[in-house]
Amino acid sequence: MSTAQKELVYVEHCKGVNGLDKVVLREVRGCSAEVYLYGGHVTSWKNEHGEELLFLSSKANFNPPKAIRGGIPICFPQFSNLGPLESHGFARNRFWSIDNDPPPFPINSSNKAFIDLILKHSEEDVKVWPHRYEYRLRITLGPGGDLMLTSRIRNMNTDGKPFSFTFAYHTYFAVTDISEVRVEGLETLDYLDNLKNRERFTEQGDAITFESEIDRIYLSTPTKIAILDHERKRTFVLRKDGLPDAVVWNPWDKKAKAMPDFGDDEYKHMLCVEAACIEKPITLKPGEEWKGRQELSAVPSSYCSGQLDPKRALQSG
Ligand code: TA6
């Protein structure tokens, strides 16, 4: 084991903005990730060059009960306004705890940089969502710099009642210039357009590009989606399990100005592509558990070198 490996602190517990509890994950090659216990919220993911891969608004609030604008907010038990709860549910504005005794996990032993968080129903939750639950979230930074989030949600009701929920990893990717970004893997799929009362449309046959506000829920997508940042010659590959849908969102200029915790021009440098389960809510009987996983990787890409042709990325394992 190299000296670097010996000294490396794979998991560091520390204080972040406004003294909020934070966990920093590090890996040998220099990549890192940061997670706030407030919201179980990943706010940073950096590659081995220390380059930030997630967008976090310069105006992001770290003042509970406000949600943090950027990174990877967790939308549970409700996506957007699809129900009686506040937008995107309450998990993103709750304080999570460290789970010191997680049930067995198919651990890939080489992973050292991971943290287990847990959120359980509180009196506050039960008032608005009358269910008992346990939400276990494992966040892992792989030796290669990949970022994995695995959610396990169990129905702990003692009254025999099932519960249903919708869900999303509301990931904000950092991009160089939104007008130079393409999303591959959603071609020809049906989507619900949030800008048109969730009317259903079918995507045309080519990659998605961006020239105005977009807010769509793509239905029953492939398990892999590629986000190409041409300027940076970088491709994000999002792999997902147990999450059939994918939301694509960019507020563009007008909505950007209307959001107090978002800079007017920041829409040019972010794109949300969200692994989700929306069209068919998940229903769990007491004792049942659901698992939803997303894995993010950022690879150098360049069409000319053919290093990573997105089509090939989507075809490869
Ligand atoms: O995921 C897309 C979306 O539902 C958009 O409609 C937009 O509202 C965005 O989420 C941000 O929502 P928030 O509640 O974080 O302001």
Side-chain angles (χ1 to χ4, degrees):
M1 191 183 277
S2 69
T3 340
Q5 278 178 313
K6 268 200 215 81
E7 272 112 34
L8 182 68
V9 179
Y10 290 94
V11 182
E12 181 197 352
H13 298 265
C14 54
K15 295 290 181 191
V17 179
N18 295 342
L20 293 171
D21 289 319
K22 182 172 84 170
V23 177
V24 180
L25 305 175
R26 295 187 185 83
E27 259 296 348
V28 279
R29 289 172 43 184
C31 37
S32 67
E34 297 189 2
V35 188
Y36 277 74
L37 269 59
Y38 176 61
H41 200 132
V42 175
T43 55
S44 170
W45 171 41
K46 291 182 178 167
N47 64 17
E48 67 269 31
H49 311 299
E51 295 164 338
E52 183 55 63
L53 302 168
L54 294 175
F55 166 85
L56 182 71
S57 173
S58 59
K59 295 188 171 183
N61 269 305
F62 285 78
N63 302 309
K66 276 253 157 252
I68 299 169
R69 177 67 66 193
I72 310 180
I74 302 268
C75 305
F76 169 82
Q78 174 189 300
F79 177 76
S80 186
N81 58 359
L82 288 167
L85 302 176
E86 58 202 296
S87 173
H88 293 322
F90 49 68
R92 63 177 182 165
N93 29 41
R94 292 284 184 276
F95 284 92
W96 294 56
S97 316
I98 304 286
D99 184 1
N100 294 314
D101 175 27
F105 209 93
I107 298 174
N108 165 349
S109 60
S110 63
N111 287 337
K112 292 187 179 61
F114 66 88
I115 188 76
D116 285 297
L117 303 181
I118 187 164
L119 182 69
K120 292 184 177 180
H121 57 277
S122 63
E123 294 327 307
E124 205 186 342
D125 299 344
V126 171
K127 283 195 205 105
V128 292
W129 197 61
H131 298 295
R132 304 163 66 86
Y133 66 89
E134 278 185 0
Y135 184 154
R136 287 187 163 82
L137 173 65
R138 171 163 293 189
I139 297 153
T140 306
L141 182 68
D146 295 356
L147 184 67
M148 283 81 83
L149 277 73
T150 305
S151 295
R152 295 184 287 179
I153 298 171
R154 183 178 292 279
N155 178 336
M156 305 299 284
N157 279 343
T158 51
D159 59 4
K161 285 209 185 98
F163 63 55
S164 298
F165 61 93
T166 49
F167 181 94
Y169 290 121
H170 198 302
T171 308
Y172 289 73
F173 292 94
V175 298
T176 319
D177 173 354
I178 187 64
S179 61
E180 291 288 329
V181 168
R182 295 159 61 89
V183 171
E184 302 243 355
L186 302 174
E187 304 81 359
T188 73
L189 295 179
D190 280 6
Y191 63 87
L192 307 177
D193 192 332
N194 284 329
L195 303 179
K196 297 186 179 128
N197 298 325
R198 295 212 175 93
E199 201 181 327
R200 191 175 185 126
F201 296 91
T202 304
E203 185 57 72
Q204 36 75 35
D206 204 357
I208 303 171
T209 53
F210 305 92
E211 58 221 16
S212 61
E213 180 183 4
I214 184 169
D215 191 350
R216 298 175 179 175
I217 304 170
Y218 286 86
L219 307 174
S220 309
T221 79
T223 57
K224 241 174 304 177
I225 298 167
I227 300 139
L228 282 75
D229 180 344
H230 279 313
E231 293 275 315
R232 190 78 56 99
K233 295 199 175 345
R234 172 185 291 150
T235 293
F236 292 104
V237 179
L238 185 166
R239 291 179 175 80
K240 56 190 176 96
D241 248 334
L243 295 158
D245 308 319
V247 179
V248 176
W249 178 60
N250 186 292
W252 225 250
D253 53 352
K254 285 201 194 57
K255 280 267 176 65
K257 288 192 177 65
M259 289 191 287
D261 59 349
F262 193 87
D264 292 359
D265 286 343
E266 288 187 332
Y267 71 93
K268 296 175 182 166
H269 307 300
M270 55 71 67
L271 178 67
C272 286
V273 179
E274 311 163 28
C277 188
I278 299 169
E279 187 187 24
K280 302 186 184 75
I282 297 140
T283 298
L284 298 176
K285 299 194 190 77
E288 283 186 336
E289 182 178 75
W290 168 83
K291 198 162 120 179
R293 184 173 184 278
Q294 90 165 2
E295 180 169 338
L296 306 179
S297 38
V299 289
S301 63
S302 111
Y303 265 104
C304 51
S305 73
Q307 261 178 4
L308 181 92
D309 173 321
K311 288 217 167 19
R312 201 183 300 158
L314 293 173
Q315 277 139 20
S316 70

